[in-house]
Amino acid sequence: ANTEGAGLTHILTTTCTPEKLFASTAGILAGKLGVAGGMTFDCNTACYGDIYGLSLCQSILSLNPNAKILFGCAEVLTHSVNWTDRSTCVLFGDGAGACIITAQKENILASPEEALCSSDGSLQHLIRIGGGTERAYTTGLPVDESFYLTMQGREVFKHAVRNMTAACQEVLRRKGMDIADVDLLVPHQANMRIIEAVGDRLGINTSHVFANVARYGNTSSASVPLALADARTRNLLGKGSRVLCTSFGGGLTWGACLLEFHS
């Protein structure tokens, strides 16, 4: 980004696996970068943190067009899975992605054209990580299954496919576009079954659906940033490319975002 840390006005990180309950991951990052005086905070919407966080950045810029935001998504899911539960531990990986976000289009790689964020807290039990204040614990208390990630896979699959597909369709409707106007679909890299099902329901050619889950696993909020960087490295994205991103996470949270690349 060719920028100095001292020029940052905000640091926002999305994570469901923070290093500590506090200080925030963003605050820790600011300290390691030697950045002081700006706003730092975390957003936890699990695997959907990427687009939720991007929407928050847009809100900040609408109030402060001169803001320069360091936005990062970082997850260490391998520290939160139960390694005796083969239904979950083999799915998840660790990863991180970051970018600088400003309001000056001429200085940025891509900008969001439309974003949609949704949630349904009544379904939070379908995928969750324990260890918070829901359960009191004392020194010497053994760690049991309630502290790890748990997931009702079949139900999560149904909600993920249905809601990601609907979110993509709504974003395109708002822009007066259809799926043929999209150069690349970059879905949350949960698993290939979900990725293929969303692409199939949207009616997009499989060659325009990006997947690298076989390489990294499900890295939660880091999966879309990693996928975008990977697609860029493979020369799949260039000036004028329209990319439809969609994610789904615990909470439940989901949505979609349409990006346009400027270089």
Side-chain angles (χ1 to χ4, degrees):
N2 193 27
T3 189
E4 297 294 332
L8 298 173
T9 59
H10 301 72
I11 297 179
L12 164 61
T13 59
T14 64
T15 183
C16 63
T17 52
E19 186 172 310
K20 301 175 176 66
L21 291 179
F22 69 87
S24 69
T25 300
I28 295 170
L29 179 59
K32 291 185 175 182
L33 292 174
V35 177
M39 177 182 286
T40 61
F41 66 102
D42 291 352
C43 168
N44 178 5
T45 51
C47 299
Y48 188 48
D50 44 16
I51 302 175
Y52 248 73
L54 182 60
S55 181
L56 288 172
C57 290
Q58 287 183 283
S59 298
I60 292 170
L61 289 172
S62 69
L63 293 172
N64 181 4
N66 295 318
K68 182 176 287 186
I69 307 166
L70 174 59
F71 174 45
C73 305
E75 303 289 3
V76 191
L77 268 300
T78 58
H79 286 200
S80 296
V81 295
N82 181 352
W83 287 98
T84 65
D85 178 10
R86 299 289 294 177
S87 68
T88 58
C89 70
V90 298
L91 302 177
F92 294 92
D94 305 332
C99 62
I100 298 292
I101 297 179
T102 73
Q104 289 72 46
K105 285 189 177 182
E106 65 274 11
N107 296 327
I108 59 179
L109 178 64
S111 62
E113 290 192 331
E114 190 72 43
L116 173 69
C117 299
S118 300
S119 67
D120 185 349
S122 68
L123 298 172
Q124 54 83 26
H125 60 283
L126 295 182
I127 178 169
R128 61 194 304 190
I129 296 176
T133 57
E134 180 181 53
R135 173 181 171 181
Y137 52 94
T138 59
T139 301
L141 184 72
V143 174
D144 61 25
E145 288 81 0
S146 66
F147 284 81
Y148 298 112
L149 185 150
T150 58
M151 179 171 64
Q152 298 181 32
R154 292 182 180 178
E155 287 299 308
V156 168
F157 174 86
K158 290 190 294 184
H159 286 285
V161 172
R162 179 169 64 246
N163 289 319
M164 285 198 292
T165 301
C168 287
Q169 292 170 334
E170 175 60 17
V171 164
L172 292 174
R173 185 195 68 79
R174 291 180 181 182
K175 291 292 294 181
M177 299 167 55
D178 59 37
I179 198 65
D181 298 310
V182 173
D183 296 298
L184 195 66
L185 173 67
V186 179
H188 167 51
Q189 305 292 300
N191 60 57
M192 280 306 302
R193 289 181 61 237
I194 290 177
I195 293 170
E196 290 172 349
V198 171
D200 183 64
R201 290 196 180 191
L202 289 173
I204 189 171
N205 190 291
T206 55
S207 64
H208 293 272
V209 180
F210 188 83
N212 61 1
V213 64
R215 183 176 182 184
Y216 301 114
N218 181 347
T219 56
S220 190
S221 71
S223 77
V224 168
L226 284 171
L228 288 171
D230 208 354
R232 180 78 171 175
T233 300
R234 300 186 198 182
N235 296 317
L236 298 176
L237 301 176
K239 187 174 182 178
S241 294
R242 282 200 174 104
V243 183
L244 184 59
C245 302
T246 183
S247 296
F248 179 91
L252 296 176
T253 55
W254 68 88
C257 178
L258 184 66
L259 297 176
E260 181 180 358
F261 276 70
H262 301 295
S263 62

